Amino acid sequence: MKGFVLIGFMGAGKTTIGRLLAEQLELAHIDFDDLIVEEIGMTIQEYFDRYGEAAFREKETEILANSLMLDRVISTGGGIVLKEENRQLLKTMPQVVYLKTETDELVKRLKNDTKTVRPLVVSKSPDEIIDVYRPRIPLYEESATLVIDTTHKSPTAIVTEILQKAGE
């Protein structure tokens, strides 16, 4: 297995970094949000509204289990670490990279992102967003084999750091 799994909060750069990393390694890239939308046949927001977060997390686990043994770069959703089952699945992977970002930077990125609708932050204040993020930090750290700080770094610099620290 020569792939990578990227974890981290919304706005950490998992999709952007995943695409660049996959390109650099000449591997396929899987974006969990795209895969889930394809699988459920509706937007994530619609799925959340119709079935709730618990059903979404179950779908996420199913897709994670089916994706892990593939040589590719996987950009997970920000809540992938919330379930113990997912954290155990992640621990079976040789390269799980936590893209860590300072809270102020995350809030800025999320508030400035007009392309992506994120059900868990769409109507939240900066403090409420931070309240969602903070309890996840130890779960990301527990699940990761490598922690990369993305704050104020270019995507290219982040990919270079991942490859250097992973010995690629």
Side-chain angles (χ1 to χ4, degrees), residues 6-18 98-118 121-122 124-126 129-130 133 148-159 161:
L6 304 180
I7 62 174
F9 198 63
M10 298 169 271
K14 297 179 300 292
T15 299
T16 300
I17 302 307
Y98 167 32
L99 299 178
K100 186 173 188 167
T101 309
E102 290 176 8
T103 54
D104 291 345
E105 179 68 15
L106 278 175
V107 169
K108 185 173 90 178
R109 289 180 190 176
L110 291 169
K111 291 298 182 181
N112 291 336
D113 185 355
T114 55
K115 274 188 344 187
T116 309
V117 177
R118 295 179 166 99
V121 298
V122 75
K124 293 197 181 326
S125 71
I129 293 170
I130 292 168
Y133 175 52
I148 302 291
D149 187 343
T150 69
T151 309
H152 308 301
K153 292 180 185 171
S154 73
T156 305
I158 295 164
V159 168
E161 186 176 346

Side-chain angles (χ1 to χ4, degrees), residues 13-29:
K14 297 179 300 292
T15 299
T16 300
I17 302 307
R19 283 189 191 122
L20 288 172
L21 184 60
E23 185 179 300
Q24 185 83 17
L25 294 169
E26 298 180 352
L27 293 174
H29 175 250

Side-chain angles (χ1 to χ4, degrees), residues 4 95 97 146 148 160-168:
F4 284 82
Q95 300 286 359
V97 180
L146 188 60
I148 302 291
T160 299
E161 186 176 346
I162 291 169
L163 293 172
Q164 287 173 344
K165 289 188 174 179
E168 292 287 326

Side-chain angles (χ1 to χ4, degrees), residues 52-68:
E53 184 177 357
F56 176 80
R57 297 293 173 211
E58 284 302 315
K59 183 59 69 178
E60 199 173 46
T61 298
E62 176 187 315
I63 292 171
L64 179 65
N66 292 333
S67 302
L68 286 181

